[in-house]
């Protein structure tokens, strides 16, 4: 007797746009690829070039060698610094060892470095709003002498901070923070230090802001939210938090389709899907394919902002 499988349950997939790669991640990956093409393998990369396992594994297969510190790299091979930026001591050491280095620091992170330097030159105490231990925070603090920058992680830190001169304080931020959490910390600082010097324009970058806005719109219409990204990717973790606050029943961070647990979708009629700024689009397609095996899927694009930002590659790779 012919056995017909039971019909699959319908599931609406709401695809957040923009999602996935930002201009800084795209540039950083191209720098490693072009460096391997130009100089041959191996090309050393200090720290994960961007925080995504799939990206790192693919570049490793092409000939990149990932290390944590510069002293793990031989002096006669090129080295790339990651998109998160590095303390000033790192390029200084590379120059001293006469190494060929390529800096993949995102220009929007470099902009924060310049701001911090400007405040320091003006004699201000600098507060960096960010997460302890994140490479971007390590890089930004490392632009200036020890003690010149104080890390502020929470509104409670902002309230507890004791400045030398309350009239001479400035703040900068990590680029991949939660827009809403940061607004609370900044409000606490402004309340205490009305004259605090602030960034001319937001330090939280366009890609972080746009992805969080898109997730809010999607999460308002979806039962469950799936975020593609790695656990050490700050902007991906923030997307999960933003989704939870926007009211979805569950929000989950997964590296790829294999991380999906179908039980999360029990009773769900719609699922929002997005990807952190370091997660490749191929992972989104893989997730939709996996959902389509289990459900009668319809995909709807939820378009919020169109992004047109792109960054130039270093001259050494284009000449
Ligand atoms: Fe640059 Fe923002 Fe992308 Fe980070 S998330 S690499 S700061 S564009």
């Amino acid at each position: 007797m012919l056995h017909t499988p039971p019909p699959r349950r319908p599931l609406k997939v709401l695809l957040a746009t923009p999602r996935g790669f930002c201009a800084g991640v795209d540039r950083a990956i191209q720098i490693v690829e072009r460096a391997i093409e130009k100089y041959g393998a191996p090309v050393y990369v200090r720290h994960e070039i961007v925080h995504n396992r799939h990206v790192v594994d693919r570049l490793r297969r092409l000939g990149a060698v990932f290390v944590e510190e510069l002293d793990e790299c031989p002096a006669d091979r090129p080295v790339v610094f990651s998109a998160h930026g590095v303390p000033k001591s790192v390029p200084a050491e590379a120059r001293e060892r006469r190494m060929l280095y390529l800096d993949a620091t995102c220009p929007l992170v470099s902009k924060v470095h310049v701001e911090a330097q400007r405040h320091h030159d003006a004699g201000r105490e600098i507060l960096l709003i960010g997460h302890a231990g994140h490479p971007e925070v390590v890089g930004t603090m490392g632009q200036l002498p020890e003690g010149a920058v104080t890390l502020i992680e929470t509104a409670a830190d902002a309230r507890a901070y004791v400045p030398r001169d309350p009239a001479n304080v400035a703040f900068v931020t990590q680029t991949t923070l939660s827009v809403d959490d940061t607004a609370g910390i900044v409000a606490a600082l402004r309340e205490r230090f009305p004259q605090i010097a602030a960034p001319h324009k937001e330090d939280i970058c366009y890609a972080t802001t746009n992805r969080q806005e898109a997730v809010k719109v999607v999460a308002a219409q979806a039962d469950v939210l799936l975020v593609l990204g790695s656990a050490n990717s700050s902007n991906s973790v923030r997307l999960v938090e933003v989704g939870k606050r926007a009211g979805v029943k569950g929000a989950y961070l997964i590296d790829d389709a294999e991380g999906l647990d179908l039980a999360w979708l029990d009773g769900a009629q719609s699922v929002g899907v997005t990807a952190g700024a370091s997660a490749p689009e191929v992972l989104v397609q893989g997730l939709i394919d996996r959902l389509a095996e289990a459900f009668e899927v319809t995909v709807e694009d939820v378009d919020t902002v169109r992004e047109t930002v792109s960054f130039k590659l270093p001259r050494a790779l284009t000449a």
Side-chain angles (χ1 to χ4, degrees), residues 8 31 33 62 67 92 112 118 130 139 152 165 169 171 175 184 198 219 224 231 234 244 249-250 273 295 299 303:
R8 285 169 301 163
I31 289 176
E33 290 170 349
L62 291 178
V67 295
V112 179
R118 188 170 49 80
I152 299 287
D165 175 4
V169 184
F171 79 87
T175 58
V224 172
S234 172
K244 277 186 185 155
K249 284 192 210 112
V273 171
F295 301 94
V299 180
D303 224 322

Side-chain angles (χ1 to χ4, degrees), residues 8-197:
R8 285 169 301 163
R9 184 165 78 70
L11 181 74
K12 196 202 277 188
V13 175
L14 298 163
L15 209 46
T17 306
R19 62 177 178 277
F21 278 7
C22 58
V25 162
D26 195 45
R27 172 176 179 270
I29 294 169
Q30 280 196 56
I31 289 176
V32 178
E33 290 170 349
R34 297 268 190 114
I36 294 169
E37 266 169 42
K38 181 163 179 174
Y39 304 108
V43 163
Y44 285 73
V45 183
R46 184 186 176 279
H47 195 73
E48 286 189 351
I49 185 76
V50 299
H51 281 158
N52 185 274
R53 184 167 61 81
H54 288 271
V55 170
V56 167
D57 287 348
R58 189 180 75 80
L59 292 174
R60 198 175 270 132
R61 286 194 296 275
L62 291 178
V65 176
F66 291 88
V67 295
E68 278 312 306
E69 292 304 336
L70 206 56
D71 58 16
E72 298 167 61
C73 311
D76 60 352
R77 292 306 307 162
V79 60
V80 180
F81 303 148
S82 88
H84 306 100
V86 289
K88 267 193 178 156
S89 56
V90 174
E93 184 190 334
R95 279 193 294 272
E96 203 173 297
R97 290 177 61 197
R98 297 176 187 280
M99 296 172 80
L100 170 63
Y101 68 86
L102 296 152
D103 190 354
T105 303
C106 175
L108 300 182
V109 174
S110 301
K111 179 183 125 259
V112 179
H113 293 178
V114 171
E115 271 171 49
Q117 183 69 56
R118 188 170 49 80
H119 291 311
H120 184 65
D121 294 345
R124 300 185 184 113
E125 289 173 62
I126 301 161
L127 305 179
L128 168 61
I129 304 174
H131 298 293
H134 189 279
E136 186 183 323
V137 164
V138 175
T140 301
M141 294 185 86
Q143 298 306 304
L144 296 171
E146 221 175 310
V149 182
T150 304
L151 182 64
I152 299 287
E153 291 192 87
T154 61
D157 288 352
R159 284 189 288 270
Y161 175 68
V162 183
R164 285 190 302 276
D165 175 4
N168 209 14
V169 184
F171 79 87
V172 295
T173 83
Q174 193 179 326
T175 58
T176 50
L177 299 178
S178 150
V179 173
D180 296 336
D181 288 349
T182 307
I185 299 174
V186 170
L189 288 173
R190 283 193 196 281
E191 200 183 308
R192 292 191 60 210
F193 314 116
Q195 291 161 284
I196 194 164

